[in-house]
């Protein structure tokens, strides 16, 4: 199951030492509903290796502002606490999987 990231916990997770994938989304976003199930599946597939979760941009405004998130869904990929890659807009699960594999 994908983690629920918030403005309060995101920094701790990003700096945990594990690769991190953050899906910036909102309830009203149609393309986010396409990506959401992929994020859930990937969270299960990479459990224990990669921290994968979602951050609701309507409930958490500081983190999207900090990373310049202008469109959703946007997925950020972190390695060693630093931004390593980004996916803006809906993408197939295989594309996301390739980006995650590059973090390992």
């Amino acid at each position: 199951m994908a983690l629920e990231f918030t403005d309060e916990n995101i920094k701790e997770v990003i700096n945990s030492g594990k690769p991190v994938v953050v899906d910036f989304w909102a309830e009203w976003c149609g393309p986010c509903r396409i990506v959401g199930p992929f994020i859930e599946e990937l969270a299960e597939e990479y459990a224990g290796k990669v921290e994968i979760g979602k951050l609701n941009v309507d409930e958490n405004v500081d983190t999207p502002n900090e990373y310049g998130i202008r469109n959703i869904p946007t997925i950020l990929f972190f390695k060693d606490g630093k931004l390593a890659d980004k996916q803006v807009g809906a993408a197939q699960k295989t594309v996301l999987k390739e980006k995650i594999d590059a973090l390992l």
Side-chain angles (χ1 to χ4, degrees):
M1 178 177 213
L3 301 169
E4 184 177 333
F5 296 136
T6 65
D7 286 340
E8 288 75 35
N9 72 7
I10 191 77
K11 290 290 184 211
E12 182 179 331
V13 177
I14 288 172
N15 293 312
S16 69
K18 285 187 182 177
V20 178
V21 177
V22 183
D23 174 22
F24 291 84
W25 72 287
E27 286 284 335
W28 48 265
C29 169
C32 296
R33 283 186 231 133
I34 294 168
V35 173
F38 300 155
I39 295 296
E40 292 292 339
E41 291 168 15
L42 291 165
E44 288 183 29
E45 289 175 34
Y46 289 92
K49 296 184 223 168
V50 181
E51 299 291 347
I52 300 176
K54 302 163 65 93
L55 187 137
N56 185 318
V57 298
D58 289 334
E59 297 172 2
N60 302 277
V61 296
D62 295 339
T63 304
N65 284 338
E66 180 178 341
Y67 289 102
I69 305 300
R70 301 282 178 254
N71 300 302
I72 55 172
T74 292
I75 302 168
L76 300 183
F77 300 82
F78 294 89
K79 183 173 184 174
D80 299 323
K82 294 181 176 39
L83 184 61
D85 203 350
K86 176 194 277 194
Q87 172 65 46
V88 179
Q92 294 296 321
K93 182 179 174 183
T94 54
V95 171
L96 301 177
K97 196 169 172 61
E98 286 174 13
K99 290 178 181 280
I100 294 170
D101 287 341
L103 300 175
L104 298 174

